[in-house]
Every structure is written in structure tokens, then in C-alpha cells.
Amino acid sequence: MLPKAEVHVHLEGTFALVDILRLAKENGAALPGPAATIFDVSTHDAFTMPEITTGGTRPGVGGAGLSGFLRFLDWQCGLVRTREQAARIAYAFAARQTASGVRYSDVIVNPTHWNAWHGREIELMEALAAGLDEAEEDGLCVANIAYSLLRSQSAGEAEHAVATLADRRPSRVVALSVDGDEKSSGRTGEKFRSAFRAAESAGFRRTVHAGESSGPEGVWDALDHLHADRIDHGVRSIEDDVLVRRLVDESIPLGVCPRSNVTLGLYADWASHPLPRLVDAGVRVTLNTDDPAPLACSLDEDWAVAAATYGFDRADLVRFAAESIRASFADDDLKRDLLAELAGVADPGAPS
């Protein structure tokens, strides 16, 4: 298994079924349906879940596609109500990553999903960092946090969040992100311009969800308005030759998640996904899971599917692994060590 990084994975999308069941029991919360079908996308047709209306004590996770999925995350993350529970989820994330050969992760956390922590977002970051600290001490995957805004938030809310991050400097928060449904929120680059420029001035890296449910214009906005270091998804850049050339010329990496794009209906199947065309065009591409638990996948499994579908050989996968490390927000020393480890695995006979 090749050592690698993962740069586009949401903590909200890594809760295993056992995590959810334990949290629900601890909090006396009812499940939104039978435990056996919570993550059953074949039953729910790409997260199209029946609306649940049972008197207000049981959350509805209804809706279709990405919007319905985001509502499910709201319910799930609402089960995390104590510092200990948050730390446990973070530790479990690092263990899951390690099992897929992931040595480093930029994990995206969007506090708007964690409704028990509204107004206490920094405390949530600190609780998660405690779990990640323990995981690293135990030899598991190193992980840092990309604090994510939601597209529907206001410019003022975004600016306040960044000012608080810059003032408090919570442990392991290394980047600012923005996620959510592009199609329903419309173009938000201009709205968040001030917040992202403030984050840049404060030394935070920037990663932006764009070019997923909307077209290439979202990627243009991420580059022009938000000074993105990396684009999460970005796959619809392939529809704009000028944009593809800019991504190549400016060496902007994409955090691509083929299974997510297919499951949520952006592309019909893996074969029609533009991943190989982006690679052939010279774009820096990394392979990621996005939300592995509800998508019922792991990173090593998705790499195997990509290899089988697109004919990637071991040398190609080594290049993907190296790109994932270079595109990450790990510090330079860790990147150097991980690249050296990868080189030793890729060519065991090479001099160290």
C-alpha cells in the first residue's frame, strides 16, 4: 500500500455506522430510519431520503442529491455534543485514514453542521485537535484542519469567523475552506473575497469547493476572488480550455473525488468522469474520497477502481501519491519525509 496524503475529505463524512449508533445512544436520540439502511445509497437513490416528520424530536433528512445529503450531515453531526465525543470522532478519523495508507490529511470541518457547537466553534476545533493529537501520539495519520465556511453564510459571518481564527489560532487549523451546494447558492466568490483575503494575510492556506454542481465559473471565482491554493473538485474545469491552461500554468492542484461525483449524479459513471482528461492535460490531480462513510468506500478502494477504469499502472499511482503529498498543507519537513518514504516503497532498491 503506497504511503499518501488525502487533501479532500470531510470529517462530517467519515462517521462510521458504529460511531453514529454510539452517539445516538449516548444522547438518547432516535435514528432517522433503520440502522441497516442509514448509508444505503441503493435504497435512497444517491441520498434521496424520505422526509421524516415525527413530531419534531426526530430529524428529517429528506431531499435529493447533494442538498439532501448535506441535511443528513447536519443531523449526524448534531449528535456530537461533548468535547470527549468530538475528540473520539477525530481519533477514529485518523485511524480510518491510517488503514488506507494515508500518512497525512487536510481534513475539512464545517462548523455549521455541528449544531451543538454554534457560538463555540473554536472550542470544537480544540476538541477535535485533542483527538488528532492523541492519534498522532499513537502513531496514526497526522491530520490538520481546514476550517470551512458554508456558501449560504453571509460575508459578515465569514469575516467574523476568520477574525476569530486569526485571533485565537486554534491548534491544527491551517486553512480556510468554503463548501456547500454551488448550484443552490449561486456564485459566492465575491461575497467571501474579504474573508479569504484576511485569511491569506493571517497566514492561512485557502482551499475552495468549486466546479462541482456549477460550471467552470466557480473555479474562476475561486482563483480570482479567493486566491485559492487548491480547488476541491474542480472537475468541470474540463469544460473550459482556457481555465485548464490556467490551472496548469499556475500549478493549482485539484482535489478530485470520482466516486462522490458519480454517486451524487454529476457524471453517469466512472468511465465518463473527466479525471483522465485532466491528467492528460497536465493538471495537478489528487484522488480523494470526499465523504467515505456514507459513500461506502475507502481511499485505497477508490484508487483501485481508478486504476482498473482508466488503466493507471503502478507508476501512475506512485505519481498520484507524490502529488497528494505535494498538494497537501503539511509542513515542509513532513512532506520531505513522506516523499522519501514513498520513494523507498516505489523503488526499494534505490539508495536512501
Side-chain angles (χ1 to χ4, degrees):
M1 189 180 297
L2 295 173
K4 60 184 77 70
E6 185 167 22
V7 301
H8 183 175
V9 58
H10 298 258
L11 185 59
E12 296 87 1
T14 64
F15 289 42
L17 179 58
V18 67
D19 298 325
I20 294 174
L21 296 179
R22 182 177 178 183
L23 287 166
K25 286 182 179 180
E26 288 174 348
N27 293 308
L31 300 177
T37 63
I38 284 179
F39 292 150
D40 190 342
V41 296
S42 63
T43 298
H44 297 309
D45 187 20
F47 300 106
T48 301
M49 298 185 179
E51 193 68 36
I52 300 168
T53 53
T54 56
T57 60
R58 198 171 173 188
V61 292
L66 181 57
S67 60
F69 176 50
L70 294 175
R71 283 193 290 275
F72 173 74
L73 296 185
D74 289 341
W75 170 79
Q76 170 199 261
C77 294
L79 297 174
V80 179
R81 301 173 185 176
T82 70
R83 180 181 178 87
E84 292 73 23
Q85 289 170 340
R88 189 173 74 221
I89 287 295
Y91 187 99
F93 164 77
R96 179 188 184 112
Q97 294 297 87
T98 304
S100 287
V102 179
R103 300 287 193 269
Y104 175 83
S105 292
D106 290 320
V107 62
I108 301 164
V109 180
N110 188 321
T112 66
H113 291 303
W114 306 66
N115 56 53
W117 299 84
H118 290 176
R120 299 190 298 131
E121 290 82 3
I122 299 300
E123 287 77 6
L124 173 61
M125 297 299 113
E126 292 171 343
L128 297 174
L132 297 176
D133 287 346
E134 182 182 358
E136 185 173 349
E137 290 168 2
D138 289 348
L140 299 177
C141 170
V142 178
N144 287 323
I145 297 170
Y147 183 110
S148 197
L149 306 171
L150 190 65
R151 291 186 186 279
S152 58
Q153 289 182 277
S154 69
E157 288 172 321
E159 290 160 11
H160 175 73
V162 172
T164 304
L165 290 173
D167 178 55
R168 299 281 296 276
R169 298 284 173 172
S171 176
R172 293 189 181 268
V173 176
V174 298
L176 183 68
S177 169
V178 58
D179 61 21
D181 190 346
E182 294 176 271
K183 188 173 183 179
S184 63
S185 298
R187 298 177 72 165
T188 55
E190 183 66 38
K191 178 172 69 171
F192 293 126
R193 177 188 179 105
S194 177
F196 269 78
R197 294 297 173 85
E200 183 177 11
S201 296
F204 293 104
R205 307 298 297 275
R206 284 88 51 212
T207 183
V208 177
H209 279 59
E212 182 192 17
S213 59
S214 70
E217 65 274 6
V219 180
W220 282 108
D221 287 352
L223 298 175
D224 291 338
H225 295 305
L226 307 182
H227 289 184
D229 294 306
R230 193 174 65 220
I231 303 294
D232 291 324
H233 293 299
V235 287
R236 293 189 62 188
S237 301
I238 200 68
E239 300 168 19
D240 184 335
D241 291 342
V242 176
L243 177 57
V244 168
R245 176 47 51 192
R246 181 175 179 185
L247 293 172
V248 173
D249 290 346
E250 297 185 10
S251 194
I252 303 294
L254 303 184
V256 176
C257 308
R259 185 183 298 273
S260 174
N261 297 154
V262 171
T263 301
L264 295 178
L266 189 57
Y267 298 102
D269 51 35
W270 282 70
S272 59
H273 194 280
L275 169 61
R277 286 183 285 155
L278 290 163
V279 172
D280 290 344
V283 178
R284 297 178 63 191
V285 172
T286 65
L287 293 175
N288 309 271
T289 57
D290 201 3
D291 297 285
L295 294 175
C297 68
S298 64
L299 189 58
D300 52 326
E301 291 170 344
D302 278 6
W303 279 43
V305 174
T309 303
Y310 308 124
F312 296 143
D313 60 18
R314 180 173 174 79
D316 294 320
L317 296 180
V318 169
R319 284 190 287 271
F320 278 120
E323 190 61 79
S324 72
I325 295 166
R326 295 189 185 103
S328 77
F329 297 149
D331 64 50
D332 290 341
D333 288 343
L334 180 55
K335 285 185 180 182
R336 184 193 61 244
D337 292 345
L338 293 178
L339 289 169
E341 180 186 358
L342 175 62
V345 172
D347 185 4
S352 58

